[in-house]
Amino acid sequence: MKFASLATTSAVALCASTLVAALDPIVIKGSKFFNEKTGEQFFFKGVAYQPRTGLSGNDNPDPLADTAGCKRDVQHFKDLGINSIRVYEVDYTKSHDECMKLLEDAGIYLLLDMPSPKYSINRAEPHWDHDLMSHWQAKVDAFSGYSNLVAWIAGNEVANDVDSTPSAAFVKAAVRDMKAYLKTKKLSTPVGYADNDDPKIRMNLINYFNCGDEETRADFYGINTYRWCGDKSDFETSGYSDITKNMTDYTIPSLLTEYGCNLVRPRTFSETKSLYGKDMMDIFSGGIMYEYTEEDNEYGIVKVSYGDSKAEKNDDYDNFKNALKAANPEGVKMDDYKPSGKDSECPKASSDWKVAPGSLSPTPSLGRCQCMVGTLSCTFKNNKLTASEGKAVGAIIGDICGQTSCDEISYDTSKGKYGDFVACDAYQRAAWAINKSFEDQKGAKCSAGDIDVKIDHTPKQEPSECLTKEDDNGNEGTSAGGNENGVDDDNGGDDNSTSSAPALAIRSPATIVAGAVAALVVCLA
């Protein structure tokens, strides 16, 4: 994929989208969404929209660039009575003007995920670096001109069990940085997170993304849940009552970002009676049914194929339509609403939550990382590695960081420690480790196995000078691992707390190698 034309693509989208009649802005006040112009409370009545049937192997799945598909599906969206769709993946280099115009004319808002499968935070070996951030920024640039873009999601089920909780710290760093990026563009589109409703980490995630200062907190919180299965379930037996209790007194909006168990077919969507009724409407802002198109996982209500105007409904279609038609939540007027509750307390590190409350990974800085590479005496000869070289260097770095300290490119989320160059990409971190081994072993040969390396006898700068470089949001450089404002830096871990395995460093060599290989292969793909 070529990115040279990103600025042009974004400019076209921004300019063209301003020519259409804008939908009313949806804003947040306290724990609710409101129509800014009418003052009416806004409840999401949406569907997840990510068709996959009919794609060739090389295609990026982008339903908003499929004009034929948009024309076909928007008619069904209007028939269903939805007001929103959630899309997980798009190709931001393509034009989305026609589809976004069709959606806008139909009164449909877009909830869009910032990550994509290729550019997302890896739950097993998490990092937040310039490469990820630049792609997310490009997506923001391409879509922020559309009046019906209602919100962004910065992570979907990233931390999904105890072992993957360190990834939450990197998602929260991404929330912080993308909110700051939107601010530089004079945009206030909210940025949220969607969890997987895992019982062991659920409350820690809920509290974590609503603690600390406003700059680091999520603007809203989504829950993907499939507890309510069939008409034999109800508000109590399904556990929806527990979900609702968990969000009581929450100070940011919450919604079901996915719902719709398919263990009982056809689905009747009886959960909507509670979601949009007295059981939940005071706490939740509606939800997104998963999903619109019938795929291999059998959650859809319509069979479609990319580029084809035909659509085949199943029994779930009319059931969902009727369920939404009967859903008439009684909201509150924005002027009459008085927010209450209090911000959550950040969870302390423990055996079930491997994240300290006080620190986050630094904002990525291309300048800092390029500067760091310029300080190295022993480094790679080529600016890029092949896929096979990436695999080989992973094992080499595992050996190096198993024998010497790689603190500058490592992290330990359970202690809130992040190295000064932890937000550099995999190639740059690998180069740092090779040079560290070279400098530690006086008189040793500059080597990286069979990979070509070079000696630079006159590095351009000292590493400390690199820390003054601006980050990718234009802020002055600082050392990594700073505290979140308003959060006590006491790690507070219990006696059973365990450290996360830092990437390219210290802990288990097998984990180190796997992380290095995975990161480098992704970087080179």
Side-chain angles (χ1 to χ4, degrees), residues 182-233:
L182 286 162
K183 191 173 181 180
T184 67
K185 300 293 182 178
K186 302 189 184 317
L187 298 167
S188 57
T189 315
V191 180
Y193 178 75
D195 79 13
N196 71 324
D197 196 26
D198 181 272
K200 282 193 174 181
I201 63 174
R202 180 191 306 136
M203 286 311 303
N204 282 331
L205 282 171
I206 288 171
N207 290 328
Y208 184 64
F209 281 99
N210 189 38
C211 74
D213 61 18
E214 185 177 352
E215 285 72 24
T216 63
R217 292 199 304 265
D219 295 316
F220 65 93
Y221 195 84
I223 298 174
N224 299 342
T225 184
Y226 296 88
R227 299 188 189 194
W228 193 308
C229 296
D231 290 338
K232 291 185 179 180
S233 291

Tab-separated table of all heavy atoms in Angstrom, residues 182-233:
chain	number	residue	atom	x	y	z
A	182	LEU	N	-6.640	14.908	17.821
A	182	LEU	CA	-7.914	15.505	17.420
A	182	LEU	C	-7.991	16.957	17.875
A	182	LEU	O	-8.485	17.829	17.150
A	182	LEU	CB	-9.074	14.701	18.013
A	182	LEU	CG	-9.352	13.345	17.352
A	182	LEU	CD1	-10.199	12.467	18.264
A	182	LEU	CD2	-10.058	13.531	16.006
A	183	LYS	N	-7.465	17.225	19.056
A	183	LYS	CA	-7.478	18.590	19.584
A	183	LYS	C	-6.642	19.522	18.722
A	183	LYS	O	-7.019	20.685	18.506
A	183	LYS	CB	-6.976	18.589	21.026
A	183	LYS	CG	-7.201	19.899	21.765
A	183	LYS	CD	-6.825	19.751	23.229
A	183	LYS	CE	-7.083	21.066	23.989
A	183	LYS	NZ	-6.725	20.919	25.432
A	184	THR	N	-5.502	19.024	18.213
A	184	THR	CA	-4.678	19.864	17.339
A	184	THR	C	-5.406	20.201	16.048
A	184	THR	O	-5.089	21.199	15.402
A	184	THR	CB	-3.334	19.184	16.997
A	184	THR	OG1	-3.574	18.021	16.177
A	184	THR	CG2	-2.577	18.777	18.254
A	185	LYS	N	-6.373	19.361	15.672
A	185	LYS	CA	-7.176	19.593	14.466
A	185	LYS	C	-8.468	20.360	14.784
A	185	LYS	O	-9.320	20.507	13.907
A	185	LYS	CB	-7.534	18.250	13.818
A	185	LYS	CG	-6.342	17.415	13.382
A	185	LYS	CD	-5.605	18.069	12.238
A	185	LYS	CE	-4.452	17.211	11.765
A	185	LYS	NZ	-3.739	17.805	10.611
A	186	LYS	N	-8.567	20.808	16.048
A	186	LYS	CA	-9.767	21.528	16.505
A	186	LYS	C	-11.029	20.661	16.348
A	186	LYS	O	-12.089	21.131	15.951
A	186	LYS	CB	-9.930	22.867	15.779
A	186	LYS	CG	-8.726	23.800	15.941
A	186	LYS	CD	-9.000	25.177	15.393
A	186	LYS	CE	-7.791	26.087	15.447
A	186	LYS	NZ	-7.017	26.032	16.702
A	187	LEU	N	-10.865	19.374	16.673
A	187	LEU	CA	-11.962	18.414	16.610
A	187	LEU	C	-12.242	17.886	18.016
A	187	LEU	O	-11.315	17.741	18.826
A	187	LEU	CB	-11.611	17.248	15.687
A	187	LEU	CG	-11.343	17.604	14.216
A	187	LEU	CD1	-10.700	16.422	13.495
A	187	LEU	CD2	-12.633	18.011	13.529
A	188	SER	N	-13.485	17.590	18.284
A	188	SER	CA	-13.862	17.089	19.614
A	188	SER	C	-14.582	15.746	19.539
A	188	SER	O	-15.310	15.385	20.462
A	188	SER	CB	-14.753	18.117	20.327
A	188	SER	OG	-15.900	18.414	19.546
A	189	THR	N	-14.404	15.011	18.452
A	189	THR	CA	-15.030	13.694	18.313
A	189	THR	C	-14.568	12.788	19.450
A	189	THR	O	-13.365	12.636	19.676
A	189	THR	CB	-14.661	13.056	16.971
A	189	THR	OG1	-14.776	14.023	15.932
A	189	THR	CG2	-15.561	11.868	16.673
A	190	PRO	N	-15.491	12.179	20.191
A	190	PRO	CA	-15.092	11.357	21.339
A	190	PRO	C	-14.343	10.094	20.933
A	190	PRO	O	-14.576	9.529	19.869
A	190	PRO	CB	-16.421	11.034	22.021
A	190	PRO	CG	-17.465	11.200	20.971
A	190	PRO	CD	-16.962	12.282	20.068
A	191	VAL	N	-13.458	9.655	21.823
A	191	VAL	CA	-12.648	8.450	21.622
A	191	VAL	C	-12.942	7.490	22.763
A	191	VAL	O	-12.790	7.840	23.937
A	191	VAL	CB	-11.146	8.788	21.590
A	191	VAL	CG1	-10.320	7.513	21.384
A	191	VAL	CG2	-10.838	9.810	20.502
A	192	GLY	N	-13.368	6.269	22.431
A	192	GLY	CA	-13.732	5.306	23.460
A	192	GLY	C	-13.024	3.984	23.327
A	192	GLY	O	-12.137	3.804	22.477
A	193	TYR	N	-13.411	3.043	24.174
A	193	TYR	CA	-12.844	1.693	24.190
A	193	TYR	C	-13.980	0.691	24.322
A	193	TYR	O	-15.005	0.974	24.958
A	193	TYR	CB	-11.860	1.529	25.357
A	193	TYR	CG	-11.281	0.135	25.441
A	193	TYR	CD1	-10.304	-0.285	24.541
A	193	TYR	CD2	-11.720	-0.780	26.407
A	193	TYR	CE1	-9.786	-1.573	24.597
A	193	TYR	CE2	-11.204	-2.066	26.466
A	193	TYR	CZ	-10.236	-2.458	25.553
A	193	TYR	OH	-9.731	-3.734	25.596
A	194	ALA	N	-13.813	-0.505	23.738
A	194	ALA	CA	-14.816	-1.568	23.821
A	194	ALA	C	-14.175	-2.817	24.416
A	194	ALA	O	-13.157	-3.298	23.906
A	194	ALA	CB	-15.389	-1.875	22.439
A	195	ASP	N	-14.780	-3.352	25.497
A	195	ASP	CA	-14.203	-4.533	26.142
A	195	ASP	C	-14.956	-5.804	25.753
A	195	ASP	O	-15.939	-5.766	25.016
A	195	ASP	CB	-14.136	-4.350	27.666
A	195	ASP	CG	-15.478	-4.575	28.383
A	195	ASP	OD1	-16.424	-5.106	27.771
A	195	ASP	OD2	-15.583	-4.202	29.566
A	196	ASN	N	-14.484	-6.945	26.260
A	196	ASN	CA	-15.074	-8.241	25.897
A	196	ASN	C	-15.890	-8.853	27.023
A	196	ASN	O	-16.241	-10.030	26.971
A	196	ASN	CB	-13.971	-9.223	25.476
A	196	ASN	CG	-13.114	-9.678	26.651
A	196	ASN	OD1	-12.850	-8.882	27.563
A	196	ASN	ND2	-12.689	-10.931	26.646
A	197	ASP	N	-16.180	-8.067	28.079
A	197	ASP	CA	-17.042	-8.521	29.173
A	197	ASP	C	-16.465	-9.745	29.892
A	197	ASP	O	-17.207	-10.636	30.316
A	197	ASP	CB	-18.451	-8.816	28.634
A	197	ASP	CG	-19.510	-8.914	29.727
A	197	ASP	OD1	-19.311	-8.293	30.784
A	197	ASP	OD2	-20.511	-9.607	29.513
A	198	ASP	N	-15.129	-9.788	30.030
A	198	ASP	CA	-14.490	-10.901	30.730
A	198	ASP	C	-14.659	-10.720	32.238
A	198	ASP	O	-14.325	-9.669	32.785
A	198	ASP	CB	-12.999	-10.960	30.389
A	198	ASP	CG	-12.301	-12.108	31.073
A	198	ASP	OD1	-11.840	-11.916	32.224
A	198	ASP	OD2	-12.211	-13.194	30.483
A	199	PRO	N	-15.179	-11.724	32.945
A	199	PRO	CA	-15.494	-11.539	34.368
A	199	PRO	C	-14.294	-11.248	35.256
A	199	PRO	O	-14.421	-10.548	36.254
A	199	PRO	CB	-16.161	-12.867	34.760
A	199	PRO	CG	-15.732	-13.855	33.722
A	199	PRO	CD	-15.574	-13.068	32.460
A	200	LYS	N	-13.114	-11.751	34.909
A	200	LYS	CA	-11.947	-11.558	35.774
A	200	LYS	C	-11.360	-10.151	35.676
A	200	LYS	O	-10.765	-9.654	36.637
A	200	LYS	CB	-10.865	-12.598	35.446
A	200	LYS	CG	-11.128	-13.968	36.029
A	200	LYS	CD	-9.884	-14.829	35.931
A	200	LYS	CE	-10.083	-16.167	36.633
A	200	LYS	NZ	-8.866	-17.012	36.578
A	201	ILE	N	-11.459	-9.523	34.525
A	201	ILE	CA	-10.809	-8.222	34.352
A	201	ILE	C	-11.812	-7.105	34.064
A	201	ILE	O	-11.424	-5.952	33.893
A	201	ILE	CB	-9.768	-8.273	33.217
A	201	ILE	CG1	-10.428	-8.574	31.865
A	201	ILE	CG2	-8.693	-9.301	33.533
A	201	ILE	CD1	-9.463	-8.489	30.685
A	202	ARG	N	-13.083	-7.442	34.026
A	202	ARG	CA	-14.131	-6.494	33.615
A	202	ARG	C	-14.083	-5.195	34.411
A	202	ARG	O	-14.014	-4.097	33.851
A	202	ARG	CB	-15.485	-7.162	33.747
A	202	ARG	CG	-16.671	-6.316	33.357
A	202	ARG	CD	-17.961	-6.991	33.794
A	202	ARG	NE	-18.043	-8.352	33.279
A	202	ARG	CZ	-18.435	-9.404	33.995
A	202	ARG	NH1	-18.786	-9.257	35.257
A	202	ARG	NH2	-18.498	-10.591	33.455
A	203	MET	N	-14.145	-5.295	35.736
A	203	MET	CA	-14.235	-4.092	36.558
A	203	MET	C	-12.937	-3.292	36.530
A	203	MET	O	-12.960	-2.052	36.578
A	203	MET	CB	-14.611	-4.445	37.998
A	203	MET	CG	-16.067	-4.833	38.173
A	203	MET	SD	-17.240	-3.664	37.420
A	203	MET	CE	-16.809	-2.120	38.225
A	204	ASN	N	-11.813	-3.966	36.449
A	204	ASN	CA	-10.549	-3.239	36.346
A	204	ASN	C	-10.496	-2.424	35.060
A	204	ASN	O	-10.036	-1.271	35.055
A	204	ASN	CB	-9.371	-4.208	36.405
A	204	ASN	CG	-9.068	-4.669	37.825
A	204	ASN	OD1	-9.314	-3.944	38.785
A	204	ASN	ND2	-8.548	-5.874	37.962
A	205	LEU	N	-10.948	-3.006	33.955
A	205	LEU	CA	-10.971	-2.267	32.692
A	205	LEU	C	-11.931	-1.082	32.765
A	205	LEU	O	-11.601	0.030	32.335
A	205	LEU	CB	-11.382	-3.199	31.546
A	205	LEU	CG	-10.325	-4.144	30.998
A	205	LEU	CD1	-10.957	-5.153	30.033
A	205	LEU	CD2	-9.214	-3.372	30.280
A	206	ILE	N	-13.135	-1.337	33.293
A	206	ILE	CA	-14.141	-0.276	33.406
A	206	ILE	C	-13.585	0.901	34.206
A	206	ILE	O	-13.717	2.067	33.815
A	206	ILE	CB	-15.425	-0.831	34.049
A	206	ILE	CG1	-16.147	-1.751	33.059
A	206	ILE	CG2	-16.352	0.296	34.494
A	206	ILE	CD1	-17.311	-2.525	33.666
A	207	ASN	N	-12.932	0.600	35.318
A	207	ASN	CA	-12.372	1.669	36.157
A	207	ASN	C	-11.151	2.315	35.516
A	207	ASN	O	-10.966	3.536	35.599
A	207	ASN	CB	-12.008	1.109	37.538
A	207	ASN	CG	-13.230	0.747	38.354
A	207	ASN	OD1	-14.286	1.378	38.231
A	207	ASN	ND2	-13.115	-0.281	39.183
A	208	TYR	N	-10.312	1.511	34.884
A	208	TYR	CA	-9.053	2.016	34.338
A	208	TYR	C	-9.278	3.064	33.249
A	208	TYR	O	-8.576	4.079	33.194
A	208	TYR	CB	-8.238	0.844	33.789
A	208	TYR	CG	-6.864	1.240	33.279
A	208	TYR	CD1	-5.902	1.745	34.144
A	208	TYR	CD2	-6.526	1.084	31.933
A	208	TYR	CE1	-4.629	2.090	33.683
A	208	TYR	CE2	-5.269	1.423	31.466
A	208	TYR	CZ	-4.324	1.926	32.347
A	208	TYR	OH	-3.074	2.272	31.885
A	209	PHE	N	-10.261	2.822	32.383
A	209	PHE	CA	-10.461	3.759	31.285
A	209	PHE	C	-11.285	4.993	31.696
A	209	PHE	O	-11.521	5.873	30.878
A	209	PHE	CB	-11.094	3.050	30.093
A	209	PHE	CG	-10.096	2.267	29.293
A	209	PHE	CD1	-9.955	0.898	29.473
A	209	PHE	CD2	-9.270	2.896	28.386
A	209	PHE	CE1	-9.017	0.173	28.757
A	209	PHE	CE2	-8.319	2.187	27.664
A	209	PHE	CZ	-8.191	0.828	27.842
A	210	ASN	N	-11.658	5.066	32.972
A	210	ASN	CA	-12.359	6.247	33.470
A	210	ASN	C	-11.649	6.830	34.683
A	210	ASN	O	-12.258	7.488	35.516
A	210	ASN	CB	-13.806	5.904	33.830
A	210	ASN	CG	-14.632	7.143	34.151
A	210	ASN	OD1	-14.474	8.185	33.520
A	210	ASN	ND2	-15.513	7.040	35.141
A	211	CYS	N	-10.340	6.608	34.796
A	211	CYS	CA	-9.587	7.173	35.914
A	211	CYS	C	-8.454	8.034	35.375
A	211	CYS	O	-8.103	7.971	34.210
A	211	CYS	CB	-9.036	6.068	36.821
A	211	CYS	SG	-7.621	5.155	36.145
A	212	GLY	N	-7.891	8.839	36.258
A	212	GLY	CA	-6.831	9.736	35.835
A	212	GLY	C	-7.404	11.049	35.320
A	212	GLY	O	-8.572	11.372	35.528
A	213	ASP	N	-6.567	11.820	34.637
A	213	ASP	CA	-7.032	13.114	34.161
A	213	ASP	C	-7.838	12.963	32.877
A	213	ASP	O	-7.871	11.909	32.246
A	213	ASP	CB	-5.865	14.092	33.966
A	213	ASP	CG	-4.844	13.620	32.938
A	213	ASP	OD1	-5.186	12.736	32.141
A	213	ASP	OD2	-3.723	14.143	32.928
A	214	GLU	N	-8.523	14.031	32.507
A	214	GLU	CA	-9.424	13.987	31.356
A	214	GLU	C	-8.681	13.662	30.068
A	214	GLU	O	-9.232	13.028	29.159
A	214	GLU	CB	-10.154	15.326	31.214
A	214	GLU	CG	-11.207	15.333	30.120
A	214	GLU	CD	-11.963	16.642	30.036
A	214	GLU	OE1	-11.767	17.498	30.929
A	214	GLU	OE2	-12.734	16.823	29.074
A	215	GLU	N	-7.424	14.088	29.965
A	215	GLU	CA	-6.647	13.862	28.741
A	215	GLU	C	-6.362	12.392	28.495
A	215	GLU	O	-6.139	11.976	27.354
A	215	GLU	CB	-5.318	14.639	28.803
A	215	GLU	CG	-5.445	16.132	28.593
A	215	GLU	CD	-6.089	16.842	29.781
A	215	GLU	OE1	-6.016	16.295	30.906
A	215	GLU	OE2	-6.675	17.926	29.583
A	216	THR	N	-6.345	11.578	29.549
A	216	THR	CA	-6.021	10.157	29.388
A	216	THR	C	-7.243	9.245	29.476
A	216	THR	O	-7.169	8.088	29.082
A	216	THR	CB	-5.002	9.701	30.447
A	216	THR	OG1	-5.572	9.840	31.752
A	216	THR	CG2	-3.720	10.523	30.370
A	217	ARG	N	-8.348	9.767	30.007
A	217	ARG	CA	-9.546	8.938	30.139
A	217	ARG	C	-10.228	8.744	28.790
A	217	ARG	O	-10.190	9.624	27.923
A	217	ARG	CB	-10.558	9.580	31.097
A	217	ARG	CG	-10.131	9.617	32.533
A	217	ARG	CD	-11.336	9.825	33.442
A	217	ARG	NE	-12.080	11.022	33.111
A	217	ARG	CZ	-11.921	12.204	33.685
A	217	ARG	NH1	-10.987	12.355	34.619
A	217	ARG	NH2	-12.661	13.230	33.333
A	218	ALA	N	-10.890	7.611	28.617
A	218	ALA	CA	-11.751	7.411	27.456
A	218	ALA	C	-12.948	8.356	27.581
A	218	ALA	O	-13.366	8.718	28.683
A	218	ALA	CB	-12.228	5.967	27.383
A	219	ASP	N	-13.513	8.756	26.446
A	219	ASP	CA	-14.678	9.634	26.458
A	219	ASP	C	-15.974	8.853	26.631
A	219	ASP	O	-16.993	9.412	27.046
A	219	ASP	CB	-14.742	10.443	25.159
A	219	ASP	CG	-13.571	11.399	25.022
A	219	ASP	OD1	-13.223	12.066	26.020
A	219	ASP	OD2	-12.979	11.479	23.921
A	220	PHE	N	-15.944	7.568	26.291
A	220	PHE	CA	-17.094	6.695	26.505
A	220	PHE	C	-16.587	5.268	26.594
A	220	PHE	O	-15.437	4.973	26.229
A	220	PHE	CB	-18.140	6.830	25.385
A	220	PHE	CG	-17.669	6.368	24.029
A	220	PHE	CD1	-17.901	5.068	23.595
A	220	PHE	CD2	-16.978	7.227	23.181
A	220	PHE	CE1	-17.455	4.630	22.353
A	220	PHE	CE2	-16.521	6.808	21.940
A	220	PHE	CZ	-16.765	5.518	21.521
A	221	TYR	N	-17.428	4.373	27.094
A	221	TYR	CA	-17.001	2.988	27.290
A	221	TYR	C	-18.015	2.045	26.658
A	221	TYR	O	-19.227	2.165	26.871
A	221	TYR	CB	-16.865	2.679	28.780
A	221	TYR	CG	-16.102	1.416	29.062
A	221	TYR	CD1	-14.711	1.430	29.104
A	221	TYR	CD2	-16.755	0.211	29.278
A	221	TYR	CE1	-13.993	0.273	29.356
A	221	TYR	CE2	-16.048	-0.948	29.535
A	221	TYR	CZ	-14.666	-0.913	29.572
A	221	TYR	OH	-13.956	-2.069	29.811
A	222	GLY	N	-17.505	1.097	25.879
A	222	GLY	CA	-18.356	0.119	25.203
A	222	GLY	C	-18.155	-1.278	25.759
A	222	GLY	O	-17.046	-1.647	26.162
A	223	ILE	N	-19.231	-2.040	25.776
A	223	ILE	CA	-19.177	-3.428	26.240
A	223	ILE	C	-19.707	-4.335	25.130
A	223	ILE	O	-20.813	-4.125	24.626
A	223	ILE	CB	-20.013	-3.622	27.518
A	223	ILE	CG1	-19.450	-2.767	28.652
A	223	ILE	CG2	-20.033	-5.097	27.931
A	223	ILE	CD1	-20.298	-2.780	29.912
A	224	ASN	N	-18.893	-5.306	24.733
A	224	ASN	CA	-19.322	-6.335	23.788
A	224	ASN	C	-19.805	-7.530	24.607
A	224	ASN	O	-19.010	-8.165	25.301
A	224	ASN	CB	-18.165	-6.777	22.892
A	224	ASN	CG	-17.595	-5.640	22.058
A	224	ASN	OD1	-18.223	-4.603	21.875
A	224	ASN	ND2	-16.392	-5.838	21.535
A	225	THR	N	-21.092	-7.816	24.550
A	225	THR	CA	-21.611	-8.881	25.400
A	225	THR	C	-22.608	-9.753	24.646
A	225	THR	O	-23.398	-9.259	23.835
A	225	THR	CB	-22.278	-8.301	26.665
A	225	THR	OG1	-22.695	-9.381	27.510
A	225	THR	CG2	-23.475	-7.421	26.328
A	226	TYR	N	-22.552	-11.039	24.923
A	226	TYR	CA	-23.437	-12.014	24.269
A	226	TYR	C	-24.095	-12.902	25.323
A	226	TYR	O	-24.309	-14.082	25.121
A	226	TYR	CB	-22.633	-12.841	23.265
A	226	TYR	CG	-22.091	-11.997	22.141
A	226	TYR	CD1	-20.852	-11.367	22.255
A	226	TYR	CD2	-22.829	-11.786	20.986
A	226	TYR	CE1	-20.370	-10.560	21.237
A	226	TYR	CE2	-22.357	-10.986	19.959
A	226	TYR	CZ	-21.125	-10.380	20.092
A	226	TYR	OH	-20.660	-9.564	19.085
A	227	ARG	N	-24.423	-12.299	26.458
A	227	ARG	CA	-24.993	-13.062	27.578
A	227	ARG	C	-26.462	-13.434	27.356
A	227	ARG	O	-26.909	-14.473	27.811
A	227	ARG	CB	-24.910	-12.231	28.860
A	227	ARG	CG	-23.521	-11.838	29.301
A	227	ARG	CD	-23.629	-11.194	30.671
A	227	ARG	NE	-22.393	-10.589	31.132
A	227	ARG	CZ	-22.203	-10.221	32.392
A	227	ARG	NH1	-23.154	-10.411	33.282
A	227	ARG	NH2	-21.081	-9.650	32.760
A	228	TRP	N	-27.203	-12.553	26.719
A	228	TRP	CA	-28.662	-12.744	26.583
A	228	TRP	C	-28.927	-13.621	25.371
A	228	TRP	O	-28.781	-13.187	24.242
A	228	TRP	CB	-29.324	-11.375	26.422
A	228	TRP	CG	-30.821	-11.364	26.580
A	228	TRP	CD1	-31.724	-12.158	25.941
A	228	TRP	CD2	-31.597	-10.480	27.404
A	228	TRP	NE1	-32.997	-11.845	26.301
A	228	TRP	CE2	-32.955	-10.810	27.208
A	228	TRP	CE3	-31.281	-9.451	28.269
A	228	TRP	CZ2	-33.989	-10.133	27.847
A	228	TRP	CZ3	-32.294	-8.775	28.920
A	228	TRP	CH2	-33.637	-9.117	28.711
A	229	CYS	N	-29.329	-14.861	25.600
A	229	CYS	CA	-29.514	-15.824	24.518
A	229	CYS	C	-30.949	-16.342	24.479
A	229	CYS	O	-31.345	-17.202	25.281
A	229	CYS	CB	-28.542	-16.999	24.670
A	229	CYS	SG	-26.804	-16.543	24.533
A	230	GLY	N	-31.734	-15.823	23.552
A	230	GLY	CA	-33.083	-16.328	23.346
A	230	GLY	C	-34.098	-15.783	24.338
A	230	GLY	O	-33.774	-15.069	25.292
A	231	ASP	N	-35.349	-16.133	24.110
A	231	ASP	CA	-36.456	-15.612	24.912
A	231	ASP	C	-36.503	-16.184	26.320
A	231	ASP	O	-37.238	-15.678	27.179
A	231	ASP	CB	-37.792	-15.889	24.207
A	231	ASP	CG	-37.957	-15.049	22.958
A	231	ASP	OD1	-37.285	-13.991	22.870
A	231	ASP	OD2	-38.733	-15.435	22.069
A	232	LYS	N	-35.750	-17.262	26.593
A	232	LYS	CA	-35.726	-17.813	27.943
A	232	LYS	C	-34.819	-16.992	28.864
A	232	LYS	O	-34.855	-17.153	30.080
A	232	LYS	CB	-35.280	-19.276	27.911
A	232	LYS	CG	-36.306	-20.202	27.269
A	232	LYS	CD	-35.879	-21.659	27.354
A	232	LYS	CE	-36.935	-22.570	26.734
A	232	LYS	NZ	-36.534	-24.005	26.810
A	233	SER	N	-34.004	-16.129	28.273
A	233	SER	CA	-33.188	-15.212	29.075
A	233	SER	C	-34.017	-14.002	29.454
A	233	SER	O	-34.983	-13.642	28.767
A	233	SER	CB	-31.958	-14.758	28.280
A	233	SER	OG	-31.047	-15.802	28.097
